[in-house]
């Protein structure tokens, strides 16, 4: 009985084994110029969206997402506790004050921010004659803001000034997201300084006039 005898290996089995080994070995070879097939490329390579591009997965289609409500940013951007209401404006006037110890460095920083963000409307000297307000080349000039030397703006409390720069006011845009509180104070300091110089010059002129009036021969 031959049944239990192991059958002889077929003649081709050696060749088949070699072919399988070659296939296995060659599958490890991968020339960079010709990458292999990918069966689920989306899983290997997620779709990248441009930061400010369109992303259809969000209802507003903006790839850049707003922060979660109530987020408190780290660093110099602190929450502003005066509400955007007439009452908030009034209480800022009463309870919001410039930090103590503002110095000449703050003044020059204030001038720097002012020149970049404010002078186009308010004018470099604060006389409401900025380049988009008073400019013969501008076809549709911007309505002039108040001069900083108008009675009510001269008397505007620094807290209200901060408030209006932070939230904006009517035709003036909000700068609360552009300038941090320290920078806003530097700008307020610079504007108040312009006003002080103006008041000093008015006072000096008045004094000179009264001196001439009391001594007309000179
Ligand atoms: C696009 C023009 C424009 C720019 C830029 C601008 N302002 Fe104004 N600003 C105005 C106008 C207009 C008003 C008058 C708002 C009102 O009372 O209706 C105003 C009002 C103000 C007031 C008075 C606010 C109040 O409470 O009555 C201050 C102070 C002021 N601006 C400072 C600044 C500073 C500082 C900057 C720069 C950070 C700036 N503005 C940038 C147009 C501008």
């Amino acid at each position: 009985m031959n049944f239990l005898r192991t059958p002889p290996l077929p003649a081709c089995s050696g060749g088949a084994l070699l072919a399988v080994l070659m296939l296995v070995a060659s599958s490890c070879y991968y020339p960079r110029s010709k990458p292999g097939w990918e069966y689920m490329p989306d899983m290997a390579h997620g779709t990248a969206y441009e930061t400010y591009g369109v992303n259809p997965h969000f209802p507003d289609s903006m790839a850049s997402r707003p922060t979660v409500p109530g987020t408190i940013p780290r660093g110099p951007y602190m929450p502003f506790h005066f509400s955007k209401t007439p009452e908030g404006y009034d209480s800022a006037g009463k309870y919001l004050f410039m930090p103590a110890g503002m110095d000449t460095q703050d003044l020059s920083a204030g001038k720097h921010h002012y020149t970049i963000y404010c002078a186009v409307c308010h004018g470099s000297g604060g006389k409401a004659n900025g380049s988009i307000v008073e400019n013969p080349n501008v076809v549709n000039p911007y309505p002039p803001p108040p001069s900083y030397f108008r009675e009510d703006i001269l008397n505007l409390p620094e807290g209200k000034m901060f408030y209006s720069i932070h939230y904006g006011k009517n035709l003036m845009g909000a700068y609360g997201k552009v300038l941090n509180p320290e920078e806003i104070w530097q700008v307020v300091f610079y504007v108040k300084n312009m006003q002080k110089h103006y008041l000093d010059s008015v006072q000096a002129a008045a004094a000179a006039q009264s001196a001439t009036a009391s001594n007309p021969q000179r």
Side-chain angles (χ1 to χ4, degrees):
M1 296 282 280
N2 261 350
F3 289 127
L4 293 176
R5 238 185 66 209
T6 34
L9 282 172
C12 66
S13 70
L17 198 66
L18 193 69
V20 168
L21 277 177
M22 278 169 69
L23 195 70
V24 168
S26 71
S27 67
C28 296
Y29 172 71
Y30 128 71
R32 305 260 153 175
S33 56
K34 269 197 198 167
W37 291 89
E38 284 184 38
Y39 293 103
M40 291 193 182
D42 282 358
M43 293 193 66
H45 310 280
T47 317
Y49 289 97
E50 289 293 328
T51 312
Y52 297 110
V54 173
N55 184 331
H57 299 297
F58 294 111
D60 60 6
S61 68
M62 292 198 301
S64 169
R65 306 310 304 151
T67 48
V68 177
T71 302
I72 298 179
R74 305 283 300 267
Y77 289 89
M78 295 302 288
F80 187 56
H81 295 295
F82 294 90
S83 61
K84 201 175 174 185
T85 56
E87 294 78 45
Y89 181 59
D90 285 340
S91 24
K94 275 192 210 137
Y95 305 115
L96 184 62
F97 297 103
M98 202 179 299
M102 302 287 278
D103 57 19
T104 49
Q105 265 185 339
D106 292 306
L107 195 65
S108 53
K111 181 177 182 179
H112 177 78
H113 306 314
Y114 182 86
T115 310
I116 294 173
Y117 299 111
C118 323
V120 281
C121 288
H122 288 277
S124 55
K127 291 187 187 150
N129 56 356
S131 57
I132 64 167
V133 175
E134 257 183 38
N135 184 341
N137 300 325
V138 173
V139 181
N140 196 1
Y142 206 79
S147 157
Y148 289 145
F149 314 118
R150 208 174 72 183
E151 188 81 21
D152 56 334
I153 307 290
L154 280 173
N155 294 325
L156 192 69
E158 58 198 39
K160 282 192 174 175
M161 216 179 248
F162 185 107
Y163 180 101
S164 295
I165 297 168
H166 178 89
Y167 282 130
K169 189 176 183 195
N170 299 326
L171 283 178
M172 172 173 145
Y175 289 86
K177 296 217 167 102
V178 180
L179 299 166
N180 67 38
E182 191 191 348
E183 292 165 336
I184 297 184
W185 280 127
Q186 289 169 332
V187 174
V188 170
F189 188 46
Y190 181 67
V191 172
K192 285 274 168 202
N193 199 268
M194 273 197 253
Q195 294 181 323
K196 186 178 168 298
H197 277 294
Y198 169 81
L199 287 175
D200 287 350
S201 69
V202 168
Q203 231 171 20
Q209 207 176 29
S210 72
T212 328
S214 62
N215 187 5
Q217 280 90 334
R218 276 177 64 212

